[in-house]
Amino acid sequence: MVLVYADDEQLAYELLGKGREIADELQVPLKAVIIGGGQEKEYINHGADKVFVVESPLQHFKAEEYSDVLANIIKEMEAKVILIGGNKNGRELASRLAAQLNAGCVTDCINLSLDGNHVLAEKVVYGGNAIAIHRFISEPSIVTIPPRTYDALPAGEREGEVIRKKIDTKEYPSKIVNVEEKKAESVNVEAAEIIVSCGRGLKKKEDIQQIEELAKILKATVGCSRPIAADLKWLSEDHWIGLSGHKVKPRLYIALGISGQIQHIAGMRDSDIVVAVNKDADAPIFKMADYGIVGDIYEAVPLLTKEFKEKLGWLEFINKVTFQKR
Ligand code: FAD
């Protein structure tokens, strides 16, 4: 069987979408685990044949406890492939689980396929300059898949089985005594449909205002390249897109003064339509842009803002071009 676990519902649905494909190819059932209860019917509607709902006293994520729970469930069945949601918790969980099950593990997989009965997992390596293809030679094959790598299947009324399991956890040497939510800026680039993204082409922090103005007209979210968030700290890390930042999949991605290094591309290559503005005609971003303006962002951004402000038909235009491409 193929087993899916993610501590985030949307991510679990994305994994179930890919899991369904792999399970059908291997002709095995697709199962999922929910720890602490939740949307079991939705899991089935998104592709799971069987859902294990673990009723346990666990309140907060702790990798050693969660990996024990999963190992406990997996022991009772023949798991061929285990897909774990590739967020921070999932990466920690997957490696522990792999050690417990003496299994192979590939984290941050960007593409998953089968070579006969063997799983092939692709992963970006050498700072984004190469892609390694891992071929599993043992089972189970444990893979973590980052958010928005795959689309969830459209939810439909499906038949499936829900099994409730009570698992008592043992005493662990460490205990979480308090959890404080990080005060986020309520920016969620990963969920954004339109992103206006800026890079080192900006000369000073105050100029971000121009980017924000364009984003506001387009009802878009502001994104940025690594230097803007990590080095210059002009925007928070919530806006950072790329290999070491957020992976995004908007309908429209506007890259302003971004050169398009492979590490940035790794985070936005799944955008439906890419528009780039760069004064260097040889900038790598143009190789993957659908539309390009070779020019100065300080001229192009006010012009684009003015055009979009005056022409109310922009949304229809975006819909038309993105749907044409799909
Ligand atoms: P630059 O490469 O400096 O490009 C600026 C661009 O702006 C140039 O193309 C220039 O022609 C153009 N420009 C300048 N002035 C103007 C103007 N007035 N009008 C129009 N165009 C103008 N980067 C990320 O973005 N995300 C990541 O997650 C990430 N992770 C990394 C992980 C590792 C392990 C490593 C080694 C690097 C990572 N990087 C990441 C960094 C990455 O390699 C690049 O350095 C970075 O993406 C460059 O950002 P940039 O395009 O904004 O800046």
Side-chain angles (χ1 to χ4, degrees):
M1 58 129 191
V2 175
L3 188 79
V4 163
Y5 173 76
D7 64 354
D8 173 282
E9 261 163 39
Q10 178 54 34
L11 182 52
Y13 300 153
E14 291 166 17
L15 264 53
L16 284 170
K18 186 64 186 176
R20 184 73 267 165
E21 185 191 310
I22 299 278
D24 289 347
E25 224 173 309
L26 290 170
Q27 298 184 342
V28 295
L30 175 62
K31 302 183 183 179
V33 177
I34 302 178
I35 299 178
Q39 305 289 330
E40 50 269 25
K41 180 68 186 122
E42 278 301 294
Y43 273 53
I44 289 170
N45 289 345
H46 279 92
D49 298 313
K50 197 182 266 192
V51 182
F52 296 94
V53 178
V54 179
E55 292 160 358
S56 87
L58 300 177
Q59 279 190 323
H60 300 298
F61 176 83
K62 222 158 107 217
E64 61 260 48
E65 295 180 356
Y66 274 51
S67 62
D68 271 358
V69 168
L70 284 183
N72 207 305
I73 292 177
I74 292 161
K75 255 191 297 187
E76 295 169 18
M77 55 190 82
E78 233 177 79
K80 282 183 174 296
V81 186
I82 301 173
L83 305 181
I84 306 273
N87 52 20
K88 188 171 161 286
N89 289 348
R91 284 195 296 269
E92 198 184 344
L93 174 65
S95 48
R96 276 183 181 267
L97 188 62
Q100 268 172 295
L101 301 175
N102 198 19
C105 178
V106 175
T107 53
D108 291 331
C109 167
I110 57 159
N111 194 29
L112 195 67
S113 56
L114 289 173
D115 173 19
N117 273 345
H118 296 276
V119 171
L120 298 181
E122 291 177 31
K123 178 183 167 112
V124 177
V125 291
Y126 298 128
N129 288 307
I131 290 174
I133 303 173
H134 298 254
R135 186 173 186 272
F136 282 88
I137 50 168
S138 65
E139 288 179 356
S141 315
I142 301 181
V143 175
T144 74
I145 298 180
R148 301 181 80 76
T149 302
Y150 292 110
D151 289 328
L153 292 174
E157 263 309 302
R158 290 184 72 258
E159 292 291 313
E161 193 184 347
V162 176
I163 296 175
R164 293 186 193 277
K165 279 182 122 6
K166 215 169 164 42
I167 296 181
D168 294 320
T169 48
K170 56 182 192 203
E171 271 292 308
Y172 289 89
S174 69
K175 173 161 102 184
I176 296 174
V177 285
N178 186 26
V179 173
E180 274 181 38
E181 288 282 322
K182 185 181 162 197
K183 284 192 193 79
E185 261 187 52
S186 74
V187 176
N188 184 358
V189 279
E190 286 179 12
E193 291 264 298
I194 303 175
I195 295 176
V196 175
S197 200
C198 53
R200 286 282 300 273
L202 281 181
K203 293 192 181 96
K204 53 185 193 305
K205 187 179 177 185
E206 291 68 40
D207 299 341
I208 286 184
Q209 209 186 324
Q210 295 185 35
I211 309 296
E212 286 169 342
E213 204 182 324
L214 175 59
K216 197 173 158 205
I217 300 287
L218 290 172
K219 296 190 176 62
T221 303
V222 173
C224 67
S225 63
R226 183 169 89 163
I228 299 293
D231 308 334
L232 298 162
K233 303 202 186 306
W234 290 351
L235 285 170
S236 75
E237 291 183 2
D238 296 334
H239 301 261
W240 171 353
I241 290 162
L243 180 69
S244 44
H246 296 277
K247 189 166 175 5
V248 298
K249 212 174 182 178
R251 288 195 293 138
L252 175 65
Y253 189 88
I254 303 181
L256 302 165
I258 293 178
S259 56
Q261 299 305 316
I262 182 84
Q263 296 87 356
H264 187 78
I265 303 294
M268 47 66 74
R269 57 155 57 100
D270 292 333
S271 308
D272 282 354
I273 294 283
V274 176
V275 176
V277 183
N278 198 304
K279 65 179 183 186
D280 174 7
D282 294 324
I285 190 79
F286 287 126
K287 289 207 179 83
M288 60 96 59
D290 298 278
Y291 300 89
I293 299 174
V294 179
D296 192 325
I297 51 171
Y298 287 91
E299 285 174 35
V301 171
L303 277 176
L304 288 171
T305 308
K306 187 169 173 286
E307 279 291 303
F308 286 132
K309 211 185 258 180
E310 285 169 5
K311 296 204 177 87
L312 292 172
W314 62 266
L315 188 57
E316 287 72 25
F317 172 73
I318 290 167
N319 276 333
K320 203 168 137 214
V321 288
T322 54
F323 289 134
Q324 261 173 10
K325 198 173 175 202
R326 276 177 183 181

